Amino acid sequence: MNGVRDRIIRADATVAVVGLGYVGLPLACHFSEAGFDVVGFDIDLDRVEQLRDGTSYVEDIDDETVQQAIDQGFEPTTYANALEESDAFLVAVPTGVEQSEPDMSAVRKATKSVAENAPDREVLFVGCSTVYPGATEEIIRPTLRENGRRPGEDTLVAFAPERINPGGSYDFEEIPIVVGGDSDEERDAATTLLEAVVEETVPVESTGAAELTKVVENTYRMVNIALVNEVAKHAEEIGIDARGAIEAAGTKPFGFQAFSPGPGVGGHCIPVDPQFLTWQGRQDGRKLDLVEQAHAINESMPNHVVDSVETALAARGQSLDGSSLLVLGVSYKPNVGDVRNSPALDITNSLSSRGATTKLVDPQVDRVTIDGATIEPDNQIDPETVQEVDTVLLLVDHDTFEYETISGAELVVDTQAVIPDEFGGAVVRLGDGRTTEWRSEQVSTAPQTSSK
């Protein structure tokens, strides 16, 4: 027999990774390390040229890993016809939401490229991009069929959603991969392929079940983050420390998982994936009220942070209009340079619209667009700037931040609750009920002055 699963078992299959972003590049490198011939297809010429030079643009993959893959035969390319000798195709292209509807255009284009260039033998197609439940059946299979392939026959189709966690503590191979197939043959072929690069696979009954698994994972996180964000805002009003209560609740050995409040949610997954469910629910006339409300709560957090800055300044007799802030952290999470959907962008834009000026510090981010202008954040905190600005606003707790350098600040708004109590200046913490008492004290004693 010479079916695609047999070729995978013999490591005699060529693996094609379509889309070489933060998901596709790790897949390509790990399959190369596992001994497969690997072709990487991406329409971004700059990316491909960097990879050919042995340079990585993905934080969890270093230059040495890319160079090793290149040395082992990994072939990055912008030419779709390079896919012609591949046996297994892993599609890891971006998806998103545009005007409240799922944007599956990249999935359609990638599927069409595979169909047009796949060899005339049995091959395996594995979707890895996050999609709405049912997308494999509604988009991938029809696109393959429209372009000359026979899904389930000459093209086995499966879905294995990515679980990449940039900057996370788990190695790639330690994270189980869920694999869904609409037939035993399709599921088994994809499971065999992925078992070459991870320690555990989790087979589920269908592609739809795998698609739903991915969306549920991130909706769970989004809803729980919204819960603690709403509790944090409430705690500020009733004078109780929300984080202390959450930490105490986390000591319960069952029935509770602690999440932390913050300035909003960012990245590609948490702000986006739950909207696949809410869109689908609206299409079917079944509104997912809890998910919609949770999304709205998280979307409100950037404005809440700006309001907190404004209130803290007012308590000191200053106006936000005309004030200056040193903003620490622009990326969407600690220790990564990804700014996609980062709440820091909304916060900084809102500060600007209210008349404040900002100076950015983020050692992970080379450049970012704020209010239409391209800005290069500073790499480190300048103590002189700390003393010059009206407020230091901490949005992201990067490990490289040395907080003793902000000891000269008159006011710090800390959205991550990492500035210690012994800090010399005034500190306003997100979700800290003690700030209610602090603000009232400041109002009674602060001189009525304008900004510096």
Side-chain angles (χ1 to χ4, degrees), residues 6 48 94 102 106 120 143 233 257 267 269 273 289 304 352 386 445:
D6 299 295
V48 168
D120 187 19
T143 302
K233 290 196 283 187
Q257 179 181 0
C269 294
D273 298 355
D289 290 328
H304 178 70
S352 176
V386 169
T445 60

Side-chain angles (χ1 to χ4, degrees), residues 20 25 29 46-58 61-68 70 74 76:
L20 296 173
L25 183 57
C29 290
D46 289 339
R47 278 184 175 180
V48 168
E49 289 181 341
Q50 286 184 67
L51 294 177
R52 287 174 175 169
D53 291 337
T55 303
S56 175
Y57 43 79
V58 173
I61 299 293
D62 57 28
D63 293 350
E64 182 180 357
T65 299
V66 171
Q67 188 58 60
Q68 287 176 349
I70 295 291
F74 170 42

Side-chain angles (χ1 to χ4, degrees), residues 197-271:
V197 293
V198 295
E199 295 171 0
E200 181 183 359
T201 57
V202 184
V204 293
E205 63 180 2
S206 65
T207 55
E211 292 161 343
L212 182 59
T213 297
K214 171 64 176 180
V215 177
V216 167
E217 289 172 2
N218 286 325
T219 302
Y220 169 84
R221 294 169 65 196
M222 188 271 286
V223 168
N224 280 280
I225 291 169
L227 169 64
V228 294
N229 278 338
E230 190 164 46
V231 167
K233 290 196 283 187
H234 180 62
E236 290 172 1
E237 299 302 322
I238 63 175
I240 297 174
D241 177 16
R243 290 179 186 269
I246 293 167
E247 183 178 350
T251 63
K252 185 179 181 181
F254 58 91
F256 185 86
Q257 179 181 0
F259 287 78
S260 298
V265 294
H268 177 264
C269 294
I270 297 178

Side-chain angles (χ1 to χ4, degrees), residues 144-163:
L144 289 168
R145 192 175 297 112
E146 290 163 7
N147 291 276
R149 303 299 297 189
R150 300 189 306 279
E153 299 178 38
D154 66 357
T155 307
L156 306 185
V157 179
F159 187 78
E162 58 89 4
R163 279 178 164 174

Side-chain angles (χ1 to χ4, degrees), residues 96-409:
V97 173
E98 294 291 338
Q99 298 181 339
S100 299
E101 293 193 4
D103 180 6
M104 300 288 122
S105 57
V107 171
R108 285 189 174 89
K109 291 175 182 176
T111 304
K112 185 173 185 289
S113 293
V114 170
E116 291 177 339
N117 293 280
D120 187 19
R121 59 175 179 266
E122 184 182 82
V123 300
L124 171 66
F125 181 109
V126 182
C128 300
S129 305
T130 303
V131 297
Y132 65 86
T136 299
E137 186 65 29
E138 295 176 13
I139 294 175
I140 292 174
R141 287 184 182 276
T143 302
L144 289 168
R145 192 175 297 112
E146 290 163 7
N147 291 276
R149 303 299 297 189
R150 300 189 306 279
E153 299 178 38
D154 66 357
T155 307
L156 306 185
V157 179
F159 187 78
E162 58 89 4
R163 279 178 164 174
I164 299 291
N165 183 24
S169 58
Y170 291 94
D171 291 334
F172 179 93
E173 63 274 10
E174 294 178 320
I175 303 173
I177 292 185
V178 174
V179 185
D182 297 322
S183 70
D184 291 343
E185 183 183 13
E186 290 169 309
R187 188 185 313 107
D188 290 347
T191 299
T192 300
L193 176 68
L194 290 162
E195 283 176 345
V197 293
V198 295
E199 295 171 0
E200 181 183 359
T201 57
V202 184
V204 293
E205 63 180 2
S206 65
T207 55
E211 292 161 343
L212 182 59
T213 297
K214 171 64 176 180
V215 177
V216 167
E217 289 172 2
N218 286 325
T219 302
Y220 169 84
R221 294 169 65 196
M222 188 271 286
V223 168
N224 280 280
I225 291 169
L227 169 64
V228 294
N229 278 338
E230 190 164 46
V231 167
K233 290 196 283 187
H234 180 62
E236 290 172 1
E237 299 302 322
I238 63 175
I240 297 174
D241 177 16
R243 290 179 186 269
I246 293 167
E247 183 178 350
T251 63
K252 185 179 181 181
F254 58 91
F256 185 86
Q257 179 181 0
F259 287 78
S260 298
V265 294
H268 177 264
C269 294
I270 297 178
V272 176
D273 298 355
Q275 294 186 69
F276 293 161
L277 280 183
T278 55
W279 167 82
Q280 195 168 51
R282 289 193 301 271
Q283 297 297 110
D284 296 337
R286 293 187 297 272
K287 188 177 179 182
L288 282 75
D289 290 328
L290 175 62
V291 182
E292 299 237 14
Q293 290 169 10
H295 178 71
I297 291 168
N298 289 330
E299 290 291 291
S300 75
M301 291 308 293
N303 272 335
H304 178 70
V305 170
V306 177
D307 289 343
S308 297
V309 173
E310 187 169 39
T311 302
L313 284 168
R316 298 173 62 83
Q318 294 178 266
S319 171
L320 180 59
D321 187 3
S323 67
S324 58
L325 292 93
L326 185 65
V327 178
L328 308 184
V330 184
S331 62
Y332 83 89
K333 66 183 289 190
N335 307 318
V336 302
D338 195 340
V339 299
R340 288 178 300 173
N341 299 309
S342 173
L345 305 183
D346 289 334
I347 291 168
T348 311
N349 277 322
S350 181
L351 287 167
S352 176
S353 70
R354 297 197 202 183
T357 59
T358 57
K359 187 173 182 61
L360 311 181
V361 181
D362 195 311
Q364 302 287 338
V365 177
D366 293 330
R367 61 185 60 85
V368 66
T369 300
I370 301 289
D371 199 23
T374 300
I375 298 171
E376 296 181 0
D378 290 345
N379 291 326
Q380 56 187 3
I381 303 169
D382 177 16
E384 292 186 5
T385 303
V386 169
Q387 297 184 34
E388 293 171 357
V389 299
D390 298 302
T391 308
V392 174
L393 173 58
L394 173 61
L395 298 178
V396 186
D397 181 25
H398 289 306
D399 288 347
T400 54
F401 280 154
E402 297 178 356
Y403 294 123
E404 60 268 20
T405 58
I406 64 172
S407 58

